[in-house]
Amino acid sequence: MKYIDEFQNPDLAKRLLDEIRATVTRPWALMEVCGGQTHSIIRHGIDQLLPAEIELIHGPGCPVCVTPLEMIDKALEIASRPGVIFCSFGDMLRVPGTGRDLFQVRGQGGDVRVVYSPLDALRIAEQNPDREVVFFGIGFETTAPPNAMTVHQARKRDIRNFSLLVSHVRVPPAIDAIMQSPDCRVQGFLAAGHVCSVMGTAEYPALAQRHKVPIVVTGFEPLDILEGVRRTVIQLERGEHTVENAYQRAVTDGGNPAAQAMLGDVFEITDRAWRGIGVIPDSGWRLSGRYRDHDAEHRFSVEGIDTREPAECRSGEVLQGQLKPNQCEAFGTTCTPRSPLGATMVSSEGACAAYYLYRRLDAATPEQRPPAAVRAAAGTSTPVTASLEGSSLA
């Protein structure tokens, strides 16, 4: 299949790994920003294939994971009300709020429906004019344009019983906040290719210069990620800090002008809270004034909600790259996909979910990595080893 098989070629992966080993002379800590990249890294054992000098830190790149608890509780409140049809993508239904989730609301009689597009929710609103239909709009720059278009269509077609519960966030301000943290160890970034395919790369050069870090736009297949690491390490070894586009088959400097125009029409930039991190200035979108009638927060007046994170959940540290999932005391014991304490365990892009799914159950520093033969003998359903012959790249 085009752009899949050739980007998992083990011979090319070995060549890239050899180049990285020949280049690196000292330890470097790189952060991948996207949860999809995190899952690819763990699934294919890329972090174990890399030389021990290179540490990959998992960033806040899971849109479900960073949706704040307050917003989850607002969704639960709205979904519980009579006459409401609450629509969401499926990965939000098990995300824990304060004491319950959307699955439990549905079990208690709430009309909670899984949809595969925001336009599905708009169609439901057309078919049920006597009901209020709410779509839970979350995510980064990648999912914001279709949600914006749906609200635009609702206004254009005068579908007044449709509203959007908005929790959209923006990646560049999050990178800025990460670099300003006193505990930050990140020395370079692998930027998310799908985000840049929408927004372009214009916001990144200032970040690279301000924080003296290279930023390399990468894709999601093993060779994409290895090429991103290679370019980032070359810059670090040379003392450079520029923006490079290693995903040119999908990303242009200008991004998608039509999507950007739709975002500019429907949304406006605002401060936004990130779950486990806190409020980051100018890091989100909300509906602009002309679309306020379709704002679910305004329509349902969900305010004054008391939120409480579980004390034993350390997902905030995971999202900030300060902790690997398997270094959390609750990981795999009191926190599992069936009984998650935080969104990082239940989301399909969460780092904790990746570590659990691909059986990274034991915490280990790069210096403590077992030899490839030991890992190959572990018998996991998806091999994650430090040798190309035994890895999922083979």
Side-chain angles (χ1 to χ4, degrees), residues 193-211:
H194 53 5
V195 169
C196 293
S197 70
V198 175
M199 303 305 295
T201 60
E203 293 185 87
Y204 292 96
L207 290 171
Q209 292 299 316
R210 183 182 311 132
H211 300 293

Side-chain angles (χ1 to χ4, degrees), residues 184-248:
C184 178
R185 298 186 297 111
V186 179
Q187 296 163 294
F189 285 93
L190 303 180
H194 53 5
V195 169
C196 293
S197 70
V198 175
M199 303 305 295
T201 60
E203 293 185 87
Y204 292 96
L207 290 171
Q209 292 299 316
R210 183 182 311 132
H211 300 293
K212 310 299 182 188
V213 292
I215 300 175
V216 178
V217 180
T218 64
F220 309 91
E221 296 300 324
L223 296 190
D224 289 322
I225 294 169
L226 288 172
E227 174 63 8
V229 170
R230 186 188 73 85
R231 294 194 189 198
T232 307
V233 170
I234 288 174
Q235 284 203 47
L236 288 168
E237 291 283 339
R238 293 175 175 173
E240 299 173 353
H241 40 81
T242 63
V243 177
E244 288 190 57
N245 181 5
Y247 197 43
Q248 292 186 2

Side-chain angles (χ1 to χ4, degrees), residues 136-154:
F136 200 178
I138 71 155
F140 296 103
E141 292 91 334
T142 46
T143 56
N147 291 345
M149 181 187 67
T150 303
V151 175
H152 177 82
Q153 287 293 316

Side-chain angles (χ1 to χ4, degrees), residues 134-316:
V134 180
F135 179 72
F136 200 178
I138 71 155
F140 296 103
E141 292 91 334
T142 46
T143 56
N147 291 345
M149 181 187 67
T150 303
V151 175
H152 177 82
Q153 287 293 316
R155 186 172 183 269
K156 181 179 179 180
R157 292 153 58 181
D158 198 27
I159 303 175
R160 300 186 181 186
N161 62 322
F162 175 83
S163 59
L164 189 71
L165 182 61
V166 184
S167 188
H168 280 301
V169 289
R170 303 171 59 242
V171 169
I175 291 177
D176 195 31
I178 288 167
M179 290 307 301
Q180 293 183 53
S181 169
D183 300 320
C184 178
R185 298 186 297 111
V186 179
Q187 296 163 294
F189 285 93
L190 303 180
H194 53 5
V195 169
C196 293
S197 70
V198 175
M199 303 305 295
T201 60
E203 293 185 87
Y204 292 96
L207 290 171
Q209 292 299 316
R210 183 182 311 132
H211 300 293
K212 310 299 182 188
V213 292
I215 300 175
V216 178
V217 180
T218 64
F220 309 91
E221 296 300 324
L223 296 190
D224 289 322
I225 294 169
L226 288 172
E227 174 63 8
V229 170
R230 186 188 73 85
R231 294 194 189 198
T232 307
V233 170
I234 288 174
Q235 284 203 47
L236 288 168
E237 291 283 339
R238 293 175 175 173
E240 299 173 353
H241 40 81
T242 63
V243 177
E244 288 190 57
N245 181 5
Y247 197 43
Q248 292 186 2
R249 68 183 188 273
V251 173
T252 62
D253 290 343
N256 185 328
Q260 294 170 25
M262 182 60 68
L263 290 171
D265 176 53
V266 176
F267 291 130
E268 61 187 20
I269 291 175
T270 186
D271 299 346
R272 182 66 72 185
W274 295 52
R275 189 167 190 169
I277 298 176
V279 176
I280 301 177
D282 296 331
S283 67
W285 280 299
R286 65 184 177 193
L287 288 173
S288 61
R290 65 189 298 226
Y291 293 95
R292 188 172 177 82
D293 289 344
H294 294 282
D295 188 335
E297 285 191 80
H298 171 67
R299 181 172 295 191
F300 293 94
S301 300
V302 280
E303 299 173 353
I305 293 178
D306 180 30
T307 60
R308 299 184 302 280
E309 290 277 11
E312 62 271 34
C313 180
R314 302 179 68 184
S315 61

